[in-house]
Amino acid sequence: MSKLNQSVCALMVCAVAWCPLSAQANGFEDFEDAELIDQIAGSVARGYGRMHGYQVEFKLIGKEVAHQSPLLVQYNAPLKRCTFYISTQDRNWHSFEQYLLFFEGLPKQVVYEAFFAHESGHCVQVKEQIDFGPKQRRHREELYADVFALSHVQRYFPKYRKAFQEGQLKMRRVALGVQRDYDFYKELVKLHYSPSLQTALVVKNPQDRAFSIAKAVDLL
């Protein structure tokens, strides 16, 4: 896992948050969901930190820094710390709102929580020393985080699980035009309907669930 410990993990979607630990103006004061995202950033991210035994911190990335994604995470193994790097570029908010369209009809809280659960999944994977090996490592890490987000919805918002799953597939289908190296959509379809994933989604113990999800991804 040494190659993963200091690496910045990739995103399922463009997600953003208002850093709850800073009084610094972030440029999003007029965004109607800022307060909701602020609460979710703390509750979801720290919730998984408590479950898996690591700390969580948030850091703002200023507008002067060139940065494509609104939110990235990095896990520091020696410190057992998951850091969320939050971009404050206004254009990221606009792109983020476009991603919400894939989940039209779902409550925003469900979608926002799933986005932060996806990012938390990257840290959980490294913390629990789940390594998918050198072949398509990055691809499998993204699939793992996708399914980790789905497990969050299954656990906390079960009645929205099917609708979220459909939105997730729509989003990954569109991504084929951008990320041609991997067919996330095709493999997500396999995962969504695999018996091993159905079993993993209902596992109660956090550590056992994390490894059960990894097993489902590994069986592809």
Side-chain angles (χ1 to χ4, degrees):
M1 296 302 295
S2 59
K3 293 181 180 179
L4 298 177
N5 288 342
Q6 302 299 326
S7 64
V8 177
C9 300
L11 287 174
M12 171 184 77
V13 291
C14 288
V16 289
W18 188 16
C19 181
L21 301 180
S22 174
Q24 176 183 349
N26 58 21
F28 306 132
E29 292 84 354
D30 59 345
F31 187 65
E32 62 180 0
D33 297 327
E35 184 176 355
L36 174 61
I37 294 176
D38 184 16
Q39 296 169 356
I40 289 172
S43 63
V44 174
R46 291 194 176 91
Y48 283 111
R50 288 192 296 271
M51 288 181 198
H52 292 273
Y54 61 80
Q55 297 180 344
V56 172
E57 67 176 359
F58 299 91
K59 291 186 177 181
L60 293 180
I61 298 176
K63 290 184 179 182
E64 69 280 0
V65 179
H67 194 263
Q68 291 184 340
S69 298
L71 176 66
L72 291 172
V73 291
Q74 182 180 38
Y75 187 76
N76 185 307
L79 297 179
K80 294 183 179 180
R81 178 183 297 159
C82 180
T83 302
F84 287 72
Y85 292 93
I86 304 158
S87 173
T88 58
Q89 296 188 47
D90 290 328
R91 60 187 173 87
N92 287 333
W93 284 89
H94 301 304
S95 64
F96 180 63
E97 288 179 297
Q98 291 176 2
Y99 275 90
L100 289 176
L101 296 178
F102 292 113
F103 303 92
E104 189 174 5
L106 280 172
K108 286 183 177 180
Q109 178 161 350
V110 175
V111 183
Y112 290 148
E113 286 201 17
F115 290 170
F116 275 91
H118 172 99
E119 294 309 313
S120 297
H122 285 302
C123 288
V124 168
Q125 180 216 328
V126 182
K127 168 61 172 62
E128 299 297 347
Q129 298 184 12
I130 296 171
D131 192 345
F132 293 108
K135 187 178 179 180
Q136 291 191 336
R137 173 179 276 134
R138 181 184 173 195
H139 178 50
R140 292 298 173 91
E141 289 170 357
E142 276 301 294
L143 286 171
Y144 179 86
D146 276 1
V147 181
F148 197 90
L150 180 62
S151 74
H152 180 89
V153 175
Q154 170 68 33
R155 187 175 184 214
Y156 296 103
F157 308 101
K159 72 176 183 178
Y160 295 114
R161 180 261 176 94
K162 184 177 180 180
F164 176 80
Q165 185 171 298
E166 292 173 353
Q168 195 177 51
L169 287 173
K170 288 179 184 177
M171 185 178 61
R172 282 308 194 186
R173 186 186 292 118
V174 171
L176 278 175
V178 180
Q179 300 166 320
R180 297 184 181 277
D181 292 342
Y182 306 121
D183 190 344
F184 282 96
Y185 170 75
K186 184 178 179 180
E187 296 206 352
L188 263 183
V189 170
K190 291 181 182 178
L191 271 172
H192 283 176
Y193 297 102
S194 68
S196 58
L197 179 62
Q198 303 313 310
T199 300
L201 292 178
V202 297
V203 174
K204 292 184 178 180
N205 179 272
Q207 283 73 29
D208 291 342
R209 186 168 61 253
F211 283 98
S212 294
I213 292 173
K215 181 180 178 181
V217 174
D218 247 349
L219 289 174
L220 283 175

